[in-house]
Amino acid sequence: MKNHVLRPFIVFLGIVALILIARIFLVPKDFGIGERGYMYGWHRHGNEEEWKNQIIKVKYMGKEYCKDCHADKYGSINKTPHRIIPCEDCHGPAGTPEGIVHYDADKRPKLPIDKSRAQCLRCHYPLPYPTSGRSKIRSIDPDKHNPDIECSSCHNPHNPMGGLR
Amino acid sequence: MVPSGEMLAHGELWTVKELFTYPNEFIYWSVQIVMYPFMTGLVAGAFVLSSLYHVFGVQQLKDMARFALVFSFALLFAAPMPIVLHLQFPFRGIEIFMTPHFTSAIAAFGVVFFTYGAIVASELWFLYRKHFVEVSLRLREKQDKTLVEWFQYLIFCSLTLGVYDVSEEALHRDEKAIKILAGVGIPVACFLHGYAGFIFGSVKANALWMTPLMPVIFIMSAVVSGIALCMLTYIIVMEIRRFLAARKRLSGPGRFTSTEEIKGVEVHVIKLTAKYLVLFLVAAISLELLDLIFRGYTALKSWDVVRSVLYDRDFYDIFIMQYVIGNLVPLILFLIPGLTIRRAVVGVMLVLFGVFMMRWNVVIGGQAFSLTFAGYMHYHLPIIPHNWETFKEGLGGALSIFIMPFVLFWVIAKIFPVFAEAKQE
Amino acid sequence: MISRRKFLKNTALGIAGGALSLAAFEIIDPKKLMALEAADGKKIRWVFLVDTYKCVGCGMCVKACKLENEIPYDASVTRTWVERYVLTKDGKVHADTPKGARDGFTTSKIDLGVSEEAAPKDILAKPEENGVHTYEDINPADIDKAFFVPKLCNQCENPPCVQVCPVGATYQAPDGVVLVDRTWCIGCGYCIMGCPYGVRFFHPVYHTAEKCNFCYHRITKPDPQNPKTFMKTACVQACPFGARQIGNIKDPNDPVTKIIMTERVGVLKEEYGTKPQVFYIGLDKEVR
């Protein structure tokens, strides 16, 4: 009976068959080779759509978005060097993770205003780097320049040098 | 300061970052990733030892071979455990079989483990088939079986795989099958551990791991560790049996004990196995020294930081713990003529320690320097666990996995009895 | 004359064998391409441009990225970060990236991290006391040059992180962005080890591999303020100085494409063969 020697091999094949059958149920139908081939494109195709639309909602809307309702602020800051700063950098994103944008006043409160000295020091802390764009920004020594009050007490961020010097 | 609770990045808890490192760099591959190649190395080494008898017919290794094969099987079940404990989603581990991405060395795990397991299981089946048939036939005769005996009957019946032919011819075919399997199994066992070496050696992003020598170094030291562990466990088990047999003789003079039981460990078996151990140990050391010399000679961009890790920060771990205590001292112990069992025990324990330190120095050492080549990371092994994570990725998890094969061996040995007179029940 | 039993047995075996081999081939069927063929018809390959002359290290990009992409603000990990390099006259390079520059650089002292001597003996007992950072003062007169280098995922053309994923959880989309499927990632960390640039990490909440994906949910939508073009990534939009720009290399009229094609640009760690698609203006040799 030459069969008995092959018996373990048959058991092995049976287990392989079970795995292949399990694959039919456990592997998502859209899993396969994408446009980038097997090495770089082996994935579940549906995930691309999930990233585009489901997993994360757009929150930062950009400066032009704020212009419609806040034309005055938009206009005034545009006359100053701070025009390059997008509103949301200091005011936080207009949207929330749930996808609610700022003008749904009943669902979302006013955007916060970060008035801490740390916020202004991001750009205005004195860093002595002549080879970087940093050196073109006017800076103050935070330990000497009115160290215990908010910057916005004297400087309106939308008109930072207005009425001063 | 390090954030707490949910804000903690994985690995942040046990990593100290020094000088200039990227923000996302932490020791992600911790002690469990050290354990994994260690365990697969033991698997491969035990199998190679077993095959030395079956394929090359080294007669004195007959007992050791049987023992090594069963132990390799027990180790095989323990070997994937480090990965299971390391994965952030252990239950998704089945995806290795569902959607394997074979451009990744880790994907080979599914195929290699499975094939290797099939070979060892098949070889064990052929080796113990006669025993299964005898026990199941005996239990079938018995009219009133206890519950335990019912379980035994079911297990042994199914283990016969429906084949009850134990004629001379059938057994002779079994022998041939064993020989073929043992022969085929050697490259598969080497692949089982070689691919683990490839996992590291192919990571071009890591300056310490990236070398074509890595798979070969891993295989050589794997065989060393496998032989050492089998020697150690064999010595311990044989001595325990001798001790128990001596106690039995004292309690009742009428009880016969076999020579197998009372003789304990045979020195000539140990001496011969030790010779193979030394052979592979020399190969492993040579390759590692070669890698070290090449790095220093070619002095690539990473050499400055790698040198400071190898020769400054990790000097003690690498040169004292691994090379001297783990390699040089046991080499001397085995080369001194007139090897005794006691000296062999010390030697194999040091060898096992050395192999573990090699895995440690590769895995942890590779993460000791930053990708910037201008910073360092220190690994603090979690010793006292505070939660599940610090247990499974700490000393607790590592020790549990190290103990597991011994427990499994004890269980499996009840089905695959390792010692002669146990079979004669 | 074949017996009925044998015939049935052989047929059953034949069908089973055929079905199984076909099932096996499904894994490697090259014709199972996704019906994706550039869904919007346009050929797109995203590339990024960083101007290190313009970057001032304000860190607004890092903050915007964290808030837009819901990476926990207090976590040490971040999808993008800014590095500071100060090169002194003695030839030494002093570099740091405190919290990835999430709060900007508000000190001229270089953050040297935690030295092993300063680390508490049992950092696991009190992780919040994980050592005290040491800082290095630099005399401004000693500075040869100093600059800031923003970093993010290079969305490489030959991504080593995708190559090493064992289960196909991370992949490259046809437009070049490398994405991670959070429902499929097993958390082995091989992709994190495989990235030479250190851009990958485990998400502290989802525990899957995570990295910058060029705000894929933004760039694949038209900009509501300017529908002829795509929405910019959060970091590009947040940067007041225009140090960061994103573009489509396949569009010859794209301003980013024009700069890459006509000006001198560099890439990071070219020797790894990853073909990174983030280009740097003013990339110094000392940048890591």
Side-chain angles (χ1 to χ4, degrees):
Chain A
M1 229 199 319
K2 62 172 168 64
N3 291 342
H4 98 268
V5 172
L6 292 176
R7 205 53 75 99
F9 184 64
I10 294 173
V11 172
F12 171 71
L13 285 181
I15 298 176
V16 170
L18 279 172
I19 292 179
L20 288 175
I21 291 169
R23 274 195 86 241
I24 298 173
F25 297 106
L26 293 175
V27 175
K29 294 285 170 286
D30 55 350
F31 205 107
I33 298 174
E35 263 191 42
R36 291 284 292 141
Y38 177 62
M39 175 132 109
Y40 298 128
W42 180 240
H43 68 290
R44 180 173 65 88
H45 180 44
N47 185 245
E48 292 177 47
E49 204 48 45
E50 286 168 19
W51 275 112
K52 284 182 191 168
N53 293 315
Q54 292 168 24
I55 300 175
I56 298 184
K57 300 276 180 268
V58 172
K59 298 173 199 63
Y60 278 83
M61 302 303 287
K63 224 173 132 182
E64 304 303 314
Y65 174 82
C66 313
K67 189 169 69 171
D68 293 335
C69 298
H70 301 275
D72 52 339
K73 295 280 191 314
Y74 184 92
S76 69
I77 202 172
N78 252 12
K79 300 191 188 100
T80 74
H82 276 192
R83 77 178 77 87
I84 57 174
I85 309 177
C87 318
E88 287 161 307
D89 273 5
C90 298
H91 293 281
T96 65
E98 297 78 34
I100 301 162
V101 282
H102 156 60
Y103 59 57
D104 291 335
D106 52 335
K107 293 191 198 123
R108 179 166 158 70
K110 278 167 59 168
L111 290 182
I113 306 174
D114 185 355
K115 290 193 182 161
S116 66
R117 284 171 74 87
Q119 178 71 359
C120 308
L121 285 174
R122 280 174 183 265
C123 292
H124 294 288
Y125 183 90
L127 290 175
Y129 305 150
T131 59
S132 162
R134 183 69 177 228
S135 56
K136 300 198 192 80
I137 304 176
R138 281 185 279 185
S139 57
I140 49 97
D141 183 345
D143 297 322
K144 299 211 176 77
H145 184 90
N146 301 312
D148 34 348
I149 54 172
E150 285 174 357
C151 311
S152 51
S153 306
C154 305
H155 299 273
N156 177 355
H158 290 246
N159 188 3
M161 297 309 286
L164 294 163
R165 252 195 285 152
Chain B
M1 303 299 130
V2 166
S4 58
E6 205 183 48
M7 296 308 111
L8 217 50
H10 181 79
E12 196 163 7
L13 203 54
W14 51 70
T15 309
V16 171
K17 300 174 70 169
E18 191 175 342
L19 296 174
F20 180 39
T21 60
Y22 294 140
N24 298 329
E25 281 191 284
F26 298 102
I27 307 269
Y28 288 108
W29 279 5
S30 62
V31 74
Q32 290 299 0
I33 305 299
V34 175
M35 287 302 290
Y36 178 66
F38 186 62
M39 301 303 284
T40 55
L42 294 174
V43 170
F47 185 86
V48 169
L49 180 62
S50 160
S51 295
L52 283 172
Y53 164 72
H54 290 295
V55 177
F56 302 109
V58 182
Q59 287 300 321
Q60 295 102 310
L61 292 180
K62 182 170 180 182
D63 283 336
M64 180 68 95
R66 182 172 290 252
F67 180 88
L69 192 66
V70 177
F71 204 56
S72 176
F73 197 57
L75 280 164
L76 192 65
F77 285 101
M81 286 312 293
I83 301 297
V84 170
L85 286 182
H86 164 76
L87 286 181
Q88 301 278 69
F89 294 91
F91 292 111
R92 288 189 190 174
I94 195 141
E95 290 171 17
I96 291 272
F97 297 102
M98 298 294 113
T99 60
H101 191 212
F102 290 115
T103 59
S104 166
I106 290 183
F109 166 84
V111 175
V112 169
F113 240 79
F114 201 56
T115 311
Y116 179 77
I119 290 177
V120 173
S122 307
E123 199 178 324
L124 280 170
W125 185 75
F126 285 115
L127 209 54
Y128 284 96
R129 203 172 62 79
K130 184 155 168 275
H131 174 64
F132 297 154
V133 169
E134 283 168 2
V135 171
S136 66
L137 284 177
R138 179 176 58 86
L139 283 174
R140 185 188 294 176
E141 299 297 316
K142 197 159 183 228
Q143 293 308 328
D144 32 63
K145 298 188 251 281
T146 66
L147 190 63
V148 172
E149 281 172 337
W150 260 111
F151 270 122
Q152 272 186 311
Y153 178 56
L154 279 169
I155 291 173
F156 280 94
C157 236
S158 38
L159 281 174
T160 61
L161 297 183
V163 181
Y164 286 92
D165 178 6
V166 284
S167 61
E168 273 302 311
E169 209 200 322
L171 291 178
H172 181 65
R173 274 207 213 95
D174 285 353
E175 299 251 333
K176 276 177 72 176
I178 291 171
K179 196 161 177 175
I180 293 172
L181 282 172
V184 166
I186 294 178
V188 176
C190 288
F191 202 78
L192 178 78
H193 195 61
Y195 103 90
F198 192 86
I199 289 176
F200 296 101
S202 60
V203 178
K204 60 187 172 189
N206 191 302
L208 188 69
W209 294 350
M210 228 283 279
T211 166
L213 287 174
M214 199 58 87
V216 196
I217 295 175
F218 265 66
I219 292 175
M220 289 300 134
S221 62
V223 175
V224 167
S225 66
I227 295 178
L229 185 67
C230 284
M231 280 171 74
L232 180 67
T233 321
Y234 182 72
I235 290 172
I236 292 174
V237 168
M238 292 300 268
E239 289 302 301
I240 290 175
R241 293 177 69 230
R242 183 163 71 112
F243 172 73
L244 289 175
R247 275 236 315 246
K248 257 187 263 175
R249 283 233 315 274
L250 288 173
S251 62
R255 164 59 166 105
F256 285 115
T257 49
S258 68
T259 47
E260 287 242 349
E261 271 182 313
I262 58 171
K263 73 183 177 186
V265 180
E266 296 274 287
V267 151
H268 68 267
V269 171
I270 294 301
K271 274 188 177 168
L272 184 61
T273 321
K275 277 205 179 67
Y276 288 102
L277 180 78
V278 166
L279 189 73
F280 284 100
L281 188 59
V282 167
I285 296 174
S286 313
L287 287 167
E288 284 190 67
L289 287 177
L290 184 69
D291 180 55
L292 211 57
I293 293 168
F294 251 76
R295 283 181 196 280
Y297 187 88
T298 51
L300 298 176
K301 185 162 116 178
S302 56
W303 177 237
D304 278 333
V305 76
V306 169
R307 177 170 39 80
S308 71
V309 167
L310 293 177
Y311 291 103
D312 277 334
R313 307 172 95 84
D314 283 356
F315 180 84
Y316 183 71
D317 282 347
I318 295 172
F319 291 99
I320 306 298
M321 302 255 265
Q322 182 191 332
Y323 281 117
V324 172
I325 298 177
N327 287 348
L328 189 63
V329 169
L331 192 64
I332 293 172
L333 285 178
F334 284 118
L335 285 177
I336 295 175
L339 183 69
T340 60
I341 306 288
R342 208 162 301 169
R343 205 180 341 136
V345 168
V346 173
V348 294
M349 282 171 73
L350 291 178
V351 161
L352 282 170
F353 175 70
V355 170
F356 180 81
M357 282 314 294
M358 181 266 181
R359 307 303 189 248
W360 179 279
N361 290 327
V362 167
V363 175
I364 305 297
Q367 297 171 89
F369 58 95
S370 164
L371 289 165
T372 62
F373 295 162
Y376 302 96
M377 293 198 288
H378 296 274
Y379 176 55
H380 286 237
L381 171 71
I383 297 185
I384 312 222
H386 303 156
N387 51 17
W388 172 237
E389 190 172 33
T390 43
F391 173 78
K392 73 180 176 101
E393 298 257 29
L395 186 66
L399 281 178
S400 313
I401 289 181
F402 190 67
I403 294 168
M404 203 175 144
F406 297 97
V407 172
L408 284 173
F409 177 72
W410 181 78
V411 171
I412 292 176
K414 295 203 181 307
I415 302 173
F416 302 100
V418 178
F419 303 110
E421 78 292 336
K423 273 171 60 187
Q424 279 146 23
E425 284 173 287
Chain C
M1 192 54 198
I2 191 170
S3 78
R4 201 185 310 175
R5 173 184 286 198
K6 240 189 158 176
F7 175 75
L8 284 173
K9 183 171 155 203
N10 286 350
T11 314
L13 275 174
I15 293 176
L20 280 176
S21 17
L22 286 175
F25 276 130
E26 275 236 323
I27 305 177
I28 50 175
D29 182 357
K31 289 211 284 292
K32 199 167 182 221
L33 279 175
M34 294 300 115
L36 199 260
E37 311 296 331
D40 56 354
K42 217 159 53 148
K43 282 284 173 206
I44 307 179
R45 208 307 178 191
W46 298 109
V47 294
F48 207 89
L49 183 66
V50 174
D51 190 335
T52 64
Y53 291 112
K54 293 184 178 158
C55 178
V56 307
C58 68
M60 294 293 195
C61 50
V62 181
K63 175 178 161 192
C65 171
K66 282 211 163 194
L67 293 176
E68 176 77 18
N69 291 294
E70 295 163 31
I71 307 295
Y73 198 74
D74 283 322
S76 302
V77 290
T78 171
R79 286 185 173 202
T80 186
W81 67 93
V82 183
E83 296 170 0
R84 162 170 60 177
Y85 291 85
V86 177
L87 279 56
T88 44
K89 292 187 163 59
D90 56 3
K92 287 215 180 74
V93 178
H94 311 265
D96 67 350
T97 172
K99 291 203 177 70
R102 181 197 71 187
D103 300 327
F105 292 88
T106 49
T107 171
S108 56
K109 295 195 225 274
I110 304 290
D111 185 347
L112 297 177
V114 182
S115 70
E116 182 64 1
E117 291 79 36
K121 286 290 162 275
D122 184 7
I123 57 170
L124 292 139
K126 298 201 189 87
E128 63 280 2
E129 284 179 34
N130 186 347
V132 173
H133 283 231
T134 46
Y135 295 89
E136 187 184 7
D137 257 316
I138 312 266
N139 186 345
D142 291 334
I143 296 178
D144 259 347
K145 46 181 166 170
F147 46 87
F148 299 94
V149 182
K151 296 272 189 85
L152 66 165
C153 172
N154 292 277
Q155 317 293 353
C156 306
E157 191 62 15
N158 291 348
C161 56
V162 175
Q163 183 181 13
V164 296
C165 176
V167 296
T170 187
Y171 58 97
Q172 186 160 47
D175 54 11
V177 176
V178 176
L179 299 165
V180 178
D181 186 346
R182 283 184 184 163
T183 65
W184 207 246
C185 174
I186 64 177
C188 69
Y190 205 8
C191 61
I192 302 176
M193 306 308 288
C195 174
Y197 306 100
V199 303
R200 282 179 174 256
F201 54 97
F202 280 123
H203 195 291
V205 176
Y206 300 112
H207 301 295
T208 50
E210 176 82 10
K211 67 172 192 68
C212 158
N213 62 359
F214 278 6
C215 286
Y216 206 58
H217 61 292
R218 294 175 65 96
I219 61 178
T220 48
K221 294 186 174 67
D223 186 352
Q225 316 303 329
N226 186 0
K228 281 206 205 98
T229 177
F230 44 85
M231 218 187 295
K232 301 284 186 284
T233 67
C235 58
V236 167
Q237 189 175 80
C239 179
F241 304 92
R244 290 178 180 247
Q245 284 175 263
I246 185 166
N248 172 11
I249 199 79
K250 295 215 186 238
D251 175 9
N253 296 318
D254 191 312
V256 167
T257 307
K258 286 190 192 145
I259 294 176
I260 293 172
M261 293 312 190
T262 58
E263 294 187 31
R264 313 273 159 79
V265 292
V267 293
L268 294 170
K269 306 201 188 194
E270 181 153 29
E271 64 272 18
Y272 286 110
T274 55
K275 300 206 176 80
Q277 301 298 309
V278 171
F279 299 90
Y280 287 83
I281 297 173
L283 187 67
D284 190 82
K285 66 176 175 66
E286 294 295 348
V287 174
R288 304 303 166 117

